[in-house]
Amino acid sequence: MTGSPRPLPASAPAAGAPTPAAPRRLPVGSLLYALAAAGTVALAATTPFSGYAFNILMQAATYAIAVIGLTVVLGLCGQINLAQAGFFGIGAYAVGLGTVDWGLSFWLCLPVGLVLALVLGAGLGASTLRLGGHYLAMVTISFQQILTLVLINWIPVTHGPDGVPRIQRPTLFADSQSYLALCVFVLAVVGYLVWHLPRTRLGRAMRAVRDNELAAGVTGIDIYRTKVAAFALGALLAGLGGALFAGSFTYISPDQFSFAESIVFLTMALLGGVGSPVGAVIGTGLLILIPEWLRFLKEIPGLYLAIYGLAVILIVVFMPEGIWGFLGDQVRRLRPRRPAPARAQDLVLTQEAASPAPVLEVEALSKHFGGLKAVDEVSFTVARGGIHALIGPNGSGKTTTLNVLSGLYTPTGGRVRLDGRDITRLAPHQRAASGLGRTFQNIRLFRSMSALENVVIGAERPGNPLVGHQRAALEARARAALAFVGLEARADEPVSAFSYGHQRLIEIARALAGNPVLLLLDEPAAGLNSSEKVALTGLLRRMAAKGLTILIIDHDMTLVSDVASHITVLNFGRRIADGVTATVLREPAVIEAYLGQEAAEGPAVGLKSDLAPA
Ligand code: ADP
Ligand code: MG
């Protein structure tokens, strides 16, 4: 990751260190999972199924691995992949061709298939993930079709439509009983790892990207890399499932890996619940087993398909989160709430208060949208420590300035230096890594997460010198940040349970947890009631008292004149005033821009009383 961490002052307590009071909790969930998995593998290894049942179960187990791959790309990271059957085929053909044509061992072909799927997945992802939505879907469909065409037409290598017969299983797992046990074992391991993925740094990044790309970027997450990682991981799991599938059936052909199969994989994931590997297993099991249960209906043509289709539609309509999404919700409702941990630590912010250099230098910054000069050659500097306000009437270019500063827009011209370093060309996550934190005018939280999880992502900002990647340290810091804004008691609640004002505070806590060099706040008082505004004023003062430098945009002149020592005023994208608060607020140009000609003609003292709280 980019960004050079600033040294921790010797006086700062170890804010990241886990609280000694918190004992290590027993991993009950993992133990239960291990027991259940061991039981299932044992069942698979000992139950004398019929040959037909073996086939069905091996298909279900290997498909489920690929469907779990889809839950990573689509469920966790929110990216569509309609080529999952293609990647499944890559794994299958690596084992098929490797064992049959090249006489290689299964155990050699398997990793080759995995690497091929991973590399192609990463390549496809890397070349297309800058596109979004429909384009990504179309590119993955094209990739899927190309793969199918290659499998069918490159006859000397792939055997073409005839497929590959007599695929070798590994010697130790030559009979169906032990091979099924192997597949179920691999499925259990994959399920366990993917179940834990959301609680890792990468998994959190994926969820953040899915929930809110813009917010993910400005909290320091490399959006593109995260998406490519998700895509590659999804492809890898498809390859793994495919490789085991080839061994299950000892015969493969191109039609088993067609676009139609990709849709089947997708349906399985959506049906079971795309958010979890458990959902993937349920969805796969159902879509493979329902047709078997309905076999007796096959006598009456059409009826079988009608009932099958209807069942799928009903599930999707009444359980939009899939079966496991629905069941999981019920379980979560019953689960007792975790008691809030012992008193959160004090929030530490490391600021180089002694340094005389300005934190932010903006030089002739412009942003044009076609003919509209939203920001027009604006220059100002933000001194270290204290609160600097950027004000101006609606549409004067304040938010646009902030968006250019945080890298969401590329400037039409000009330069931006943070802490002396030119950041004009950096991506949002790189600016975050250099210490730029921000909040949004329209709150941008990660909606599927708890308050704590949102703030943990902030704490995890690359370049934050205060915490490493240990979960306990990150959580302790996140709790400290939530305590600082007064919300630690509700840390584990989902963000949707909070009022608008509190959601703003969570957003501020998320930025604070990252220990920013400069915090950009876009209209933090918008939509707050008067008591919330008073609380916000107090919070701003407490942040400034910790030495943090803040650049705040706000409409509320009372708030601005209360907290800001320095003001820059924009109007129609141009800077019309800049200086010490009291002086700027008396400048006729400012009064005119804000209150119209009438007020400009009145005495400046009147302005202050107009701005006083009602
Ligand atoms: P403020 O935050 O000061 O109220 P903004 O920076 O949001 O103002 O907007 C300044 C001007 O730029 C407005 O005229 C707005 O319509 C325009 N603008 C802002 N963002 C865009 C965009 N993405 N595309 C086109 N015009 C934009
Ligand atoms: Mg704005």
Side-chain angles (χ1 to χ4, degrees):
M1 288 286 168
T2 48
S4 51
R6 286 164 298 146
L8 190 65
S11 61
T19 25
R24 258 190 94 74
R25 269 181 298 139
L26 211 66
V28 181
S30 299
L31 288 176
L32 284 179
Y33 184 93
L35 270 179
T40 315
V41 174
L43 265 182
T46 52
T47 316
F49 296 107
S50 68
Y52 183 73
F54 268 126
N55 280 352
I56 295 285
L57 291 173
M58 284 192 277
Q59 189 193 358
T62 53
Y63 267 43
I65 296 171
V67 177
I68 288 178
L70 259 188
T71 67
V72 174
V73 202
L74 183 62
L76 265 188
C77 201
Q79 307 301 306
I80 189 85
N81 175 2
L82 292 173
Q84 195 70 344
F87 293 113
F88 192 74
I90 289 169
Y93 268 83
V95 164
L97 298 175
T99 57
V100 174
D101 288 358
W102 300 68
L104 299 172
S105 132
F106 177 92
W107 295 117
L108 188 67
C109 302
L110 178 83
V112 170
L114 296 192
V115 170
L116 268 177
L118 180 76
V119 169
L120 283 171
L124 181 67
S127 56
T128 57
L129 281 165
R130 292 197 196 276
L131 309 170
H134 313 314
Y135 297 105
L136 182 62
M138 282 174 56
V139 173
T140 56
I141 292 174
S142 310
F143 179 80
Q144 166 73 59
Q145 300 291 33
I146 292 170
L147 262 178
T148 308
L149 285 176
V150 169
L151 292 182
I152 293 173
N153 294 306
W154 199 16
I155 295 171
V157 173
T158 65
H159 301 215
D162 292 345
V164 188
R166 289 182 300 282
I167 298 168
Q168 299 295 308
R169 282 181 189 162
T171 341
L172 269 181
F173 300 92
D175 62 303
S176 292
Q177 187 89 61
S178 51
Y179 194 78
L180 174 65
L182 172 70
C183 294
V184 173
F185 174 74
V186 174
L187 171 64
V189 172
V190 166
Y192 183 78
L193 295 177
V194 173
W195 183 37
H196 272 271
L197 185 60
R199 286 177 280 277
T200 64
R201 185 185 179 82
L202 178 63
R204 273 193 293 274
M206 289 178 187
R207 294 170 68 198
V209 166
R210 177 199 61 196
D211 279 4
N212 200 315
E213 263 191 54
L214 284 186
V218 304
T219 41
I221 292 167
D222 187 336
I223 299 169
Y224 175 65
R225 221 171 65 174
T226 304
K227 286 184 185 175
V228 173
F231 213 82
L233 193 56
L236 175 81
L237 291 181
L240 177 60
L244 290 170
F245 176 86
S248 312
F249 290 92
T250 68
Y251 167 78
I252 53 171
S253 62
D255 53 310
Q256 291 166 318
F257 314 107
S258 64
F259 176 60
E261 285 307 300
S262 277
I263 298 299
V264 170
F265 282 135
L266 182 68
T267 316
M268 287 170 169
L270 294 176
L271 186 68
V274 77
S276 150
V278 185
V281 173
I282 294 176
T284 309
L286 278 183
L287 275 206
I288 289 181
L289 292 178
I290 292 178
E292 297 307 316
W293 294 333
L294 297 180
R295 275 174 83 79
F296 69 94
L297 292 174
K298 280 196 173 161
E299 312 300 314
I300 311 158
L303 185 60
Y304 151 76
L305 268 183
I307 292 184
Y308 176 74
L310 187 68
V312 171
I313 290 173
L314 284 179
I315 294 176
V316 171
V317 167
F318 289 104
M319 302 176 186
E321 303 287 309
I323 295 168
W324 183 247
F326 177 79
L327 294 178
D329 271 353
Q330 313 304 316
V331 172
R332 265 188 293 280
R333 250 176 238 162
L334 296 177
R335 203 190 281 166
R337 207 169 263 163
R338 267 204 281 164
R343 228 176 67 77
Q345 298 159 18
D346 191 29
L347 179 70
V348 175
L349 294 173
T350 52
Q351 300 300 329
E352 291 158 9
S355 164
V359 171
L360 183 75
E361 295 158 272
V362 179
E363 254 176 56
L365 195 68
S366 295
K367 177 66 192 175
H368 301 174
F369 296 109
L372 175 76
K373 294 179 175 174
V375 178
D376 193 12
E377 309 231 341
V378 168
S379 300
F380 62 96
T381 55
V382 176
R384 199 170 299 270
I387 301 178
H388 185 128
L390 183 64
I391 67 171
N394 246 334
S396 57
K398 306 180 298 292
T399 297
T400 306
T401 304
L402 232 59
N403 285 343
V404 176
L405 291 182
S406 51
L408 300 179
Y409 293 158
T410 32
T412 312
R415 267 174 183 293
V416 181
R417 263 193 290 275
L418 180 71
D419 240 352
R421 177 175 178 221
D422 192 330
I423 59 165
T424 320
R425 299 278 148 217
L426 297 186
H429 69 274
Q430 294 169 316
R431 296 181 197 223
S434 317
L436 197 64
R438 79 165 281 181
T439 65
F440 290 88
Q441 184 170 351
N442 314 310
I443 302 171
R444 290 183 172 272
L445 289 170
F446 305 122
R447 312 293 319 176
S448 72
M449 303 183 198
S450 69
L452 185 71
E453 288 172 307
N454 267 274
V455 183
V456 161
I457 290 180
E460 212 162 25
R461 168 179 85 80
N464 178 0
L466 294 179
V467 258
H469 302 323
Q470 267 143 15
R471 195 165 150 205
L474 287 167
E475 284 197 5
R477 177 148 184 96
R479 286 191 192 279
L482 280 170
F484 190 78
V485 302
L487 290 176
E488 85 273 30
R490 301 181 59 194
D492 296 310
E493 294 180 33
V495 289
S496 52
F498 289 84
S499 70
Y500 195 70
H502 284 168
Q503 292 190 11
R504 283 214 178 275
L505 294 180
I506 296 171
E507 221 191 7
I508 293 177
R510 181 175 70 191
L512 282 179
N515 185 43
V517 175
L518 171 66
L519 178 58
L520 311 174
L521 300 174
D522 195 352
E523 303 219 13
L528 301 194
N529 63 34
S530 53
S531 65
E532 286 172 328
K533 276 185 191 175
V534 172
L536 179 70
T537 309
L539 175 63
L540 289 168
R541 290 216 174 98
R542 284 191 291 128
M543 291 196 279
K546 282 192 176 278
L548 181 63
T549 313
I550 298 171
L551 177 63
I552 183 175
I553 292 182
D554 217 292
H555 264 323
D556 189 319
M557 295 301 294
T558 315
L559 182 115
V560 166
S561 55
D562 270 0
V563 297
S565 55
H566 200 105
I567 296 187
T568 303
V569 188
L570 300 183
N571 198 16
F572 297 113
R574 294 198 70 94
R575 190 187 99 174
I576 57 166
D578 182 85
V580 177
T581 302
T583 323
V584 167
L585 289 184
R586 276 165 215 281
E587 284 185 28
V590 176
I591 298 168
E592 188 183 334
Y594 254 86
L595 302 172
Q597 196 61 39
E598 250 172 277
E601 284 156 5
V605 206
L607 171 62
K608 190 67 190 168
S609 63
D610 275 349
L611 299 172

